Amino acid sequence: MELFSSLTPVFIAIICVLIGIILKSNRKSSKKGKSETKNKSESRPWVDDDLRDSTDLHVEEEDADGDWQGLDENIAHVSFSAERYSESEMIKRSKEFYELLNKRRSVRFISDEPVPREVINNIIKAAGTSPSGAHTEPWTFVVVQDPELKHRIREIIEEEEEINYKKRMGDRWVNDLKRLRTNWIKEYLDTAPYLILIFKQVYGMLPTGQKKTHYYNEISVSIACGILLAALQNVGLVTVTSTPLNCGPRLRVLLQRPKNEKLLLLLPVGYPSKDATVPDLTRKPLDNIRVVM
């Protein structure tokens, strides 16, 4: 018993030392985990607030007893009919439309030749026909034609893009882009007669000042962007889809957009320059993108 009692303080001391070592090790692991998480987020600039879907954003809605979200409770329904084509005409039209869109390419060499403003207006109206969650139409198309404002946009984007290429994107992404010969220099932002910046409205505003939910706002606006690209191809104009990573907040302030809008896409729009080139790419064949069950 005397030997046991004399060793007890030693055991207690050893246990305390072990506990201290374990706690210290856990702190280091925690710090390392946080550091790795931070490094991963820094190397993935596509995970920024402006590119996240905020469909599940909780907003302050109207009370259930009031006019719910300010929407008409009994919207009128009207008759609908669509053009009906023969099978041969359907095949012909579908083939022609495919052939038109198959010529679409991302073009980074854009002429400064003027484009009629009415054409741009009609293209945006076409994009505005897109379906949207609960018909909330959560999009804003900002058309920039002022040379000084275009250049300011270019400065902001090139400043952030250089950081993206050198620090945030990581070697794999940068290497994947080398074959396309892209970099952070965006001359087309100056030369294109128009820049169209598409903002998603993450929520709407009621006349009472309360927020209105915009369901599937990112998906809805993305569909509208697809229609806009098809409309551009239809009139012989070119663009390159650009997601100005980490530039959204600064561009939103520059363009004086409200806080419920987040930049989703930027499109420089115009005619291709006379010396324009594009990568010689091929598209996946039908059997690689279609599944029939």
Side-chain angles (χ1 to χ4, degrees), residues 15-32:
I15 291 171
C16 290
V17 171
L18 289 174
I19 291 173
I21 293 172
I22 292 171
L23 290 175
K24 187 175 181 180
S25 176
N26 286 340
R27 287 195 196 100
K28 287 183 177 178
S29 298
S30 176
K31 288 181 180 179
K32 183 180 179 182

Side-chain angles (χ1 to χ4, degrees), residues 7-262:
L7 290 176
T8 298
V10 176
F11 286 136
I12 293 175
I14 292 172
I15 291 171
C16 290
V17 171
L18 289 174
I19 291 173
I21 293 172
I22 292 171
L23 290 175
K24 187 175 181 180
S25 176
N26 286 340
R27 287 195 196 100
K28 287 183 177 178
S29 298
S30 176
K31 288 181 180 179
K32 183 180 179 182
K34 289 181 180 178
S35 176
E36 288 177 352
T37 302
K38 183 179 179 182
N39 289 335
K40 285 183 179 179
S41 64
E42 287 177 351
S43 65
R44 297 176 183 269
W46 59 90
V47 187
D48 69 17
D49 288 338
D50 274 24
L51 296 177
R52 286 176 180 165
D53 190 357
S54 46
T55 294
D56 59 350
L57 181 69
H58 296 291
V59 299
E60 301 169 5
E61 299 175 356
E62 287 284 323
D63 294 334
D65 296 335
D67 293 333
W68 186 75
Q69 296 223 124
L71 301 177
D72 293 334
E73 185 176 349
N74 297 310
I75 188 169
H77 281 225
V78 296
S79 299
F80 172 80
S81 62
E83 293 287 345
R84 185 70 179 261
Y85 304 104
S86 66
E87 287 188 13
S88 60
E89 180 66 14
M90 290 172 66
I91 294 172
K92 175 176 176 292
R93 291 172 66 92
S94 63
K95 183 179 180 181
E96 289 175 347
F97 190 66
Y98 159 70
E99 290 174 346
L100 171 68
L101 292 190
N102 193 39
K103 296 176 183 177
R104 188 207 60 77
R105 300 300 304 270
S106 294
V107 179
R108 294 173 172 82
F109 303 95
I110 301 177
S111 168
D112 60 0
E113 182 180 352
V115 173
R117 179 62 181 274
E118 186 177 359
V119 172
I120 301 300
N121 291 341
N122 289 335
I123 286 170
I124 292 176
K125 286 196 293 184
T129 67
S130 173
S132 60
H135 192 59
T136 49
E137 302 176 288
W139 41 66
T140 302
F141 300 90
V142 178
V143 180
V144 178
Q145 59 183 7
D146 178 72
E148 292 184 7
L149 190 53
K150 286 193 298 177
H151 188 68
R152 182 65 186 125
I153 290 172
R154 177 182 177 180
E155 289 179 332
I156 291 173
I157 290 177
E158 288 186 343
E159 179 182 330
E160 290 293 339
E161 278 286 79
E162 184 174 5
I163 299 174
N164 290 336
Y165 271 81
K166 292 183 176 180
K167 296 183 179 180
R168 300 185 183 118
M169 290 165 63
D171 293 339
R172 179 181 297 177
W173 190 354
V174 173
N175 286 332
D176 285 344
L177 289 174
K178 280 183 179 179
R179 65 193 183 103
L180 302 177
R181 301 179 190 174
T182 67
N183 54 43
W184 60 84
I185 305 301
K186 314 291 183 183
E187 184 180 351
Y188 51 75
L189 295 175
D190 271 326
T191 60
Y194 296 103
L195 303 182
I196 302 178
L197 293 91
I198 300 99
F199 288 82
K200 62 178 183 180
Q201 301 168 5
V202 295
Y203 58 85
M205 297 300 298
L206 297 171
T208 58
Q210 291 178 298
K211 298 176 182 178
K212 180 178 71 173
T213 304
H214 277 177
Y215 308 98
Y216 298 107
N217 56 79
E218 183 162 320
I219 295 174
S220 300
V221 180
S222 297
I223 295 171
C225 290
I227 295 176
L228 194 151
L229 291 174
L232 287 171
Q233 182 67 13
N234 183 56
V235 297
L237 296 176
V238 299
T239 188
V240 54
T241 52
S242 172
T243 50
L245 301 174
N246 300 290
C247 300
R250 292 173 67 186
L251 293 177
R252 187 163 63 249
V253 171
L254 176 68
L255 299 175
Q256 300 179 7
R257 301 312 307 156
K259 63 182 181 180
N260 67 316
E261 294 186 1
K262 293 189 176 183

